[in-house]
Amino acid sequence: MSTPPSVLHAPKPVTLAMDELIAKYDGRAPRYTSYPTAVQFSPEVDAATYRRWLAELPATDPVSLYLHIPFCAQLCWYCGCNTRAVNRHEPVRDYVNHLVTEMDLLEQALPHRLAANAIHLGGGTPNMLSPEEMTAIFGRLRQIFDLTADAEVAAELDPGVLTRDWVQAAASHGLSRASLGVQNLTPAVQTAVNREVSFEQIAACVGWLREAGVGSINLDLMYGLPKQTTVNTLSTVDKILTLRPERLALFGYAHVPWMKTHQQLIDEAALPGAAERLDQSEAAAEHLMAAGYVRIGLDHFALPTDDLARAQTERRLRRNFQGYTTDSAQTLLGLGASAIGSLPQGLVQNVAQELGWRAAIAAGDLPIARGVPITPEDRFRGEIIERLMCDLQVDLGAVCARHGRVLADLNDELAELTDFADDGMVVMQGDRLIVTDLGRLVVRTVCAVFDTYFAPEAGRHAKAL
């Protein structure tokens, strides 16, 4: 087994000034919620491919289910999700009818009845669904799948339109985890991104969820929004901490107006620069850790008693299209427009546009638009990337052994990490590559070194810092 470059074995004192760090490392990098990433998806993977992969699923392994609800009461200008604003309920009702038909098509393609250990409603705004529509969705799912005794039912919720009655209806279907979008509580910031919600509204939503027995509540915060400052970021954090959510996420705003045209409504002159963004994120992180939260991977925080924190300690944290998770299922089945699924053989994505998705379902076909097979090389590199994203370290020797490789196969990548080591971002201990506390800021860029598909000049990804 070849020895990695020796420079990686000696921790270096950090001599890089913050402005130098930003200039050197604030390129673009994937978020690595999968490997290969969605950039590698192609139409060569179609409905026929998906049916073949479904037919090979073993009867003994539980699956997870993701349902995409692409509707909102109004469109937030920072949003990077596949959604649209509606002011009538008819499109939602029609969508649910098609969604149930998609479940019928999925059932026909499955080789046998499967257990499901998680159901995740994402969006958009799942709480745009009426109680009757939730009953139709969950009723059909339970006809197709056996929910395990500890199955987690999660939903992403907009506190601006959430009601106590909706929470109680969702709880009757097993809602056990909820994520509320907060972002920032400063009125000027909220106006700048077209999302206005008060702390009192959020506190009421948390109260309804607690009352209904929802045991895990996550609140989403953001940094890097227009008119956002470190001061109003910490003010938001202080208010949110009084609610003591089990989890928090701290996402950096990704300004990609060439991909999400509604982001053109944001005043770019009001966006904080890279140094300001970094100060907001690190100040908020320090504040949360001082309040007793454990920092999870790149951008999540959890109370030490939460399963997300325990999963990180026990090295069983996973990362998928919903972010960091404790879900151990090897198969994620996606339903709804733009939904992504992950199977042992590869990744698939439904038609993103509603009209195309509806048309495929109306024609009696699974609405797959694209995907990518996963090769042995992808599995090898994907494990390295996932462990770095989740644990901020990876035993490269052990991963190589599991995949029939030797450490010398990664000599080029380790040589490429020399600059990171010189700047105090990474260090090797034996065969273990460790991302330092400073390196956490650029862990996506570290992961990109192991990504054979990554093309930084393509401009397809968000900024790393």
Side-chain angles (χ1 to χ4, degrees), residues 102-122:
E102 185 183 0
M103 296 178 199
D104 298 340
L105 297 170
L106 177 61
E107 182 182 32
Q108 294 166 17
L110 291 172
H112 30 244
R113 190 175 177 87
L114 296 170
N117 64 5
I119 299 173
H120 187 104
L121 301 179

Side-chain angles (χ1 to χ4, degrees), residues 33 66 120 156 177 300 320-325 332 340:
T33 53
Y66 174 78
H120 187 104
E156 300 167 11
R177 186 168 65 83
H300 281 51
N320 64 18
F321 300 103
Q322 285 82 59
Y324 289 107
T325 178
L332 171 67
I340 295 177

Side-chain angles (χ1 to χ4, degrees), residues 282-330:
E282 288 306 289
E286 290 171 8
H287 221 58
L288 291 170
M289 289 187 289
Y293 285 83
V294 176
R295 195 169 188 175
I296 308 291
L298 177 66
D299 48 22
H300 281 51
F301 300 81
L303 292 174
T305 53
D306 187 83
D307 194 37
L308 202 65
R310 292 197 297 266
Q312 178 172 256
T313 299
E314 297 165 7
R315 298 285 190 263
R316 56 180 176 85
L317 191 65
R318 301 292 307 279
R319 186 162 172 83
N320 64 18
F321 300 103
Q322 285 82 59
Y324 289 107
T325 178
T326 60
D327 185 5
S328 61
Q330 297 302 305

Side-chain angles (χ1 to χ4, degrees), residues 57-103:
L57 291 178
T60 53
D61 295 347
V63 301
S64 292
L65 306 171
Y66 174 78
L67 286 76
H68 190 72
I69 312 299
F71 302 103
C72 292
Q74 69 177 34
L75 190 62
C76 304
W77 296 342
Y78 61 79
C79 184
C81 302
N82 180 55
T83 189
R84 66 184 177 99
V86 292
N87 54 21
R88 299 179 302 114
H89 198 76
E90 285 78 7
V92 181
R93 185 179 302 114
D94 185 61
Y95 182 87
V96 171
N97 291 335
H98 282 78
L99 190 62
V100 171
T101 303
E102 185 183 0
M103 296 178 199

Side-chain angles (χ1 to χ4, degrees), residues 113-136:
R113 190 175 177 87
L114 296 170
N117 64 5
I119 299 173
H120 187 104
L121 301 179
T125 303
N127 51 303
M128 293 285 286
L129 298 171
S130 70
E132 295 77 18
E133 288 158 354
M134 281 194 290
T135 296

